Amino acid sequence: MSLTVRRVGAESAAVVLAIIQDAFGNRPALDPPADALSDTEAAIATRLALNGGLLAKLDGDPVGTLLFDPVGDTMYLRRVGILSKAQGHGIAGALIESAVEAWTGRATRLSVVAREELPKTIGFWARRGFTQTDRRSPYVELALRLPKVHQVATPEEMRELGSRVADDLEPGDLLVLTGDLGAGKTTFTQGLGARLEVEGRVTSPTFVIAREHAPRSAHRPGLVHVDAYRLGSIGELDDLDLDTSLEDVVTVVEWGEGVAESLASSRLEIRIRHSEGETAADETMDGVEPRVVEIQGIGPRWATHPNRPTDGPARR
């Protein structure tokens, strides 16, 4: 089956309303009833004209929708609905992915409001990284912090970005670094370690799997730098006989996507990639090829975290 998602405006109000009525009409009865059940085509057209929305089609047939509603630096996703006959095809996930793509760099977070009587709906959002930020019965608000995109031109700028991220860190924080060989994961960690003022030279932990860097100051956390490339699971960290508890340090896991997430309830995901047309250099980014760095906070630690310098582009 072919699934597509596109941005739509007021011209699609009738189609969007039909999906909303079907999706919300087939949910369990709520008290008070969902506001969506009283929507009119004119009201939907006005919402779409102001801020737009998304329409998903499966094999050319409209099957899912959501509306955009900006409030400050937060983009609320309203009227998220999938036709009852079309559920189970990944449509909701595709809508969320499109919303993230549309608003990365333009908003700080995506938020949704769910009903506490619908725990499966709340669970759906939680599985996609949304974290509860407010509860006013019967409503539960959940938010996903959007990635911040940085253009990094030199190794010095990569270290500077790592240094600025370090200013936001506390003991127990987890950073999961993803990027091809030579993308600059270790270069980033060098800047982070320098800002934390840890002991020892930060180098790639490829051959030792994990390196521990004690803090020079009692007021700053130490650093555990892990290479998960050769770990079958993060549970194998228990076999590394670390001298410190991960609750007392900042933990940076390279190649950690899909492996390290269970280490903490919250994490910073840092994805580094070469700019278009560039090829890999060595892992410490000794070359000058530009990089694109995406930083995204996941979990309650970062869901309502205030904007910091790391939210902006790397300084030149």
Side-chain angles (χ1 to χ4, degrees), residues 155-167 169 175 177 184-198 202-203 220 223 225 252:
E156 290 73 23
E157 286 188 4
M158 184 68 80
R159 293 187 184 94
E160 181 192 23
L161 182 58
S163 174
R164 289 158 56 198
V165 169
D167 286 337
L169 300 180
L175 287 75
L177 271 62
K185 299 185 293 295
T186 298
T187 305
F188 175 92
T189 309
Q190 288 172 345
L192 186 147
R195 185 64 172 175
L196 292 178
E197 299 179 344
V198 299
V202 175
T203 60
R220 303 300 295 271
L223 172 67
H225 187 196
V252 175

Side-chain angles (χ1 to χ4, degrees), residues 149-155 157-158 161 179-185 187 271-276 278-294 314 316:
V149 180
H150 304 260
Q151 303 290 334
V152 179
T154 66
E157 286 188 4
M158 184 68 80
L161 182 58
D180 293 336
L181 182 66
K185 299 185 293 295
T187 305
R271 295 175 286 272
I272 307 174
R273 66 179 188 273
H274 296 267
S275 295
E276 293 296 329
E278 300 294 346
T279 57
D282 61 69
E283 183 53 29
T284 54
M285 197 183 170
D286 286 338
V288 294
E289 298 88 351
R291 306 288 194 265
V292 178
V293 183
E294 291 185 0
R316 296 299 178 92

Side-chain angles (χ1 to χ4, degrees), residues 21-35 37 115-119 121 138-139:
Q21 290 176 333
D22 177 274
F24 284 82
N26 280 285
R27 293 179 181 179
L30 301 174
D31 185 19
D35 293 339
L37 295 176
R115 294 289 289 262
E116 57 189 4
E117 307 99 314
L118 302 175
T121 300
Y139 303 104

